Amino acid sequence: MDEKGFSKSREQGVLWVSHPVTGRILPFAGEGKFLQLEKRRNCYYALLPEGAKGEAYEDVIKETDIEEHDALEVLGEDRENNEILTSLSRTIQKRHIDMPAGSYTTHLFEKGSNKIRKKCGEEAIELVLASSPEDLVFESADLIYHMMVLLEAEGLSIQEVLAELKKRDS
């Protein structure tokens, strides 16, 4: 299994694996209960109960899923996600310039960088305390939004953060 399958297995309490062609996370097509999950270096292992049987994903995925996945451009999702960040960044910049009344973003800018920093800290704590996958996603979005407002208040942009992440990806 890969890191995504390992993480989901830990969250759900049943075994999940990643399809080697599509990368989709799928339930293990057999006994999904495991006794232990373990990471050793860059490898992930699941200790299954004695006598557990099952093929990992072969009967679960349909051929159309593979065809649809293959038809997608690999960078399409990255581009779409980057467009979302770019769009949000533009909205935050516009609110910073226009300062429309009643806007929460305007309220943050009016309170200043220190207030925005404190809000980022609150959101980070809420993220750390999130207990469900849904809460993790929600709190992550809150933190990213507030971080982007802070970046704008400090004359920086999310693109600079993405460029730094790109450097670290090599």
Side-chain angles (χ1 to χ4, degrees):
M1 89 179 63
D2 67 4
E3 186 175 6
K4 291 190 298 186
F6 181 80
S7 295
K8 184 144 185 168
S9 296
R10 285 183 52 208
E11 290 171 9
Q12 301 287 319
V14 292
L15 194 57
W16 288 75
V17 294
S18 298
H19 191 279
V21 176
T22 66
R24 287 183 58 207
I25 302 295
L26 301 165
F28 184 74
E31 176 60 47
K33 300 287 183 195
F34 56 86
L35 301 174
Q36 181 180 349
L37 290 177
E38 187 177 315
K39 178 181 178 184
R40 291 184 228 144
R41 293 195 180 122
N42 292 331
C43 297
Y44 301 88
Y45 300 91
L47 177 61
L48 301 177
E50 190 173 329
K53 299 178 187 174
E55 297 293 322
Y57 56 71
E58 292 302 326
D59 295 327
V60 177
I61 192 162
K62 298 177 283 205
E63 283 299 315
T64 56
D65 290 340
I66 294 171
E67 291 166 9
E68 288 172 14
H69 183 80
D70 288 343
L72 296 175
E73 184 180 332
V74 174
L75 297 176
E77 188 174 315
D78 290 340
R79 190 175 304 121
E80 182 178 316
N81 290 337
N82 193 35
E83 288 173 8
I84 291 166
L85 291 174
T86 300
S87 176
L88 179 57
S89 183
R90 284 188 195 124
T91 300
I92 291 169
Q93 286 175 332
K94 186 166 174 34
R95 300 261 164 84
H96 195 200
I97 293 166
D98 298 343
M99 299 292 275
S103 163
Y104 177 66
T105 306
T106 297
H107 167 76
L108 289 171
F109 285 130
E110 288 172 344
K111 293 294 181 180
S113 288
N114 285 339
K115 171 66 175 175
I116 301 168
R117 288 174 195 278
K118 288 178 185 174
K119 195 62 183 161
C120 285
E122 290 173 25
E123 297 302 337
I125 290 168
E126 289 174 10
L127 174 64
V128 169
L129 297 175
S131 59
S132 71
E134 295 81 15
D135 288 345
L136 279 170
V137 169
F138 185 84
E139 297 303 339
S140 295
D142 278 355
L143 179 58
I144 291 169
Y145 161 77
H146 286 91
M147 177 196 67
M148 289 176 68
V149 172
L150 177 60
L151 290 169
E152 171 66 22
E154 296 295 324
L156 300 167
S157 75
I158 191 67
Q159 297 306 327
E160 292 170 84
V161 175
L162 295 174
E164 177 61 27
L165 289 173
K166 186 174 182 176
K167 283 188 226 173
R168 296 178 186 193
D169 189 35
S170 52

